[in-house]
Amino acid sequence: MNKQPETGVDNAAPKVTRKVSVAVIGAGTAGQNAFRQASKIHDDIVIINDGFWTTTCIQVGCMPSKLLIAAAERAHDAKSSAKFGVHATVQIDGKQVMQRVRDERNHFASYIKKQVEGWPDDKKIDGRAHINKQGLIEVNDELIKAEQIIIATGSSPFILDGWTDKLGDTILTSDNVFELTDLPKSMAVVGAGAIGLEIAQALTRLGVDVTLFNRVKRVAGLKDDDINDKAIECLSSELTMHLGSEINNVGTQINEEYKTAFIDYEDSAGESKQWQGEYVLVATGRRNNIKQLGVENLGVELDDKNRPKDLSKKTGKIGVSNVYIVGDANAHIPLLHVASDEGYSAGSMVCENEENAYIRPPATPFSIVFCSPQIVNVGMSLPEIQQDSNLEHVIGSVSFDNQGRSRVMGVNCGLLHIYGCKKTDKILGASMIGPDAEYIGHILASAITNDLSVKDMLDTPFYHPTILEGLRTALRDVQHKMEIPYQYQDTQKNSS
């Protein structure tokens, strides 16, 4: 008997299991801020997250790295105290160092976890989201239709093709280096950006034999040649750096029954060399986690670096769509305070009273590298200023090599450049390496944000003796070169 063809088969697409006004994908700094802000108006909201429900900063970024740096500073201060007539013997317990990093990191993370635990369970989904061709969100067994979508999926370390397979368990990134239970004996750090510099110097101060590689002869992405040269000078007194080197191959080999990692490279002179050691930390930047999400099904176009096109830098909104991409996911400025502001603004925009939503204005560009001396950039960079034909500028400078308080403290290596606008007497930007640079940077960021003139800055008090008097010296240099009317020069002029 022939089997008759079946009829009435349901070929309809899977049914939507949930409809919401707002879906937030990603629960880092930007995602959590967006969720909290949007929740003030919308009750039908959901947040979807794959991985830890804290933040990149707390879990694998700024907090554990600063904990490592704090230990390194204690060791360095003790080791270098002999010049003050204070002689000390330093013993570093690597296991205790790394345990404290994780314990304190987990302490900070517990506060975020507690906040997340207070959110309604029906508004949280633990799983990896994908946006299908119908623009619906697939996650676990759910199919969600959202009127507005905020994407805050963060970023991940970038690793060159093939390196993971070649290096195996000897490869590290900032996502797992803090999970080491003890300090290694040796390590190569590839990349001289913020992450690479901070970890390389901290581990060196803690007794690890560290070699830092970078393809170009620059550190921390510095764009002012004089500041970059000074940074290299200051840092090379501690760090072994191969800048301008080209890595040709990486891998592992067995030496005396121990597996070691190796790097074949050409140094800046073109000579072929090999490094061998215990681990290779790859710090060649981070890439946004967006390519596999399916954002193209929402009408989002990406450029060749996976950055969303038609992005509003104020709100993260994509064109006239109901899609927002915020934080590291949009690859605009991958800094915590920027991600926080973008998440807050996007969360405000999806509220019903969109026209009256409070949108935080884009923050003055501001970045800090917590190496020692610290590296800070604030406002416009020198190349940006030079490319604008309408900007007449001068550069005020101060060296910290012989600055009073810096010499007293024994931290006298550094250089500050302040870029001033001749037409307006305002500060355009600054770049520096030096002691207390984080505080100098904050003062300058406030000045730029509040549109203060150079003279306004010089009318404020500078206490003697402080390292911040160096800021006054640089401002006076700007004042002199701009021919701004001078304030009264007091007796402290030569003491800074």
Side-chain angles (χ1 to χ4, degrees), residues 387-432:
Q387 289 167 11
D388 190 335
S389 59
N390 293 318
L391 288 177
E392 293 183 53
H393 73 283
V394 299
I395 301 177
S397 67
V398 65
S399 170
F400 290 98
D401 294 3
N402 206 35
Q403 195 264 342
R405 184 65 185 275
S406 299
R407 285 195 66 85
V408 168
M409 302 299 293
V411 290
N412 50 308
C413 190
L415 179 66
L416 163 63
H417 276 179
I418 297 176
Y419 315 126
C421 178
K422 273 191 169 184
K423 292 181 179 179
T424 64
D425 296 345
K426 300 294 173 59
I427 298 167
L428 298 171
S431 185
M432 71 200 82

Side-chain angles (χ1 to χ4, degrees), residues 187-192 195-197 199-200 203 210-214 263 279-283:
M187 180 183 292
V189 175
V190 181
I195 295 171
L197 277 181
I199 295 178
L203 291 177
V210 177
T211 302
L212 179 67
F213 294 89
N214 203 49
I263 295 176
Y279 289 104
V280 174
L281 173 71
V282 180

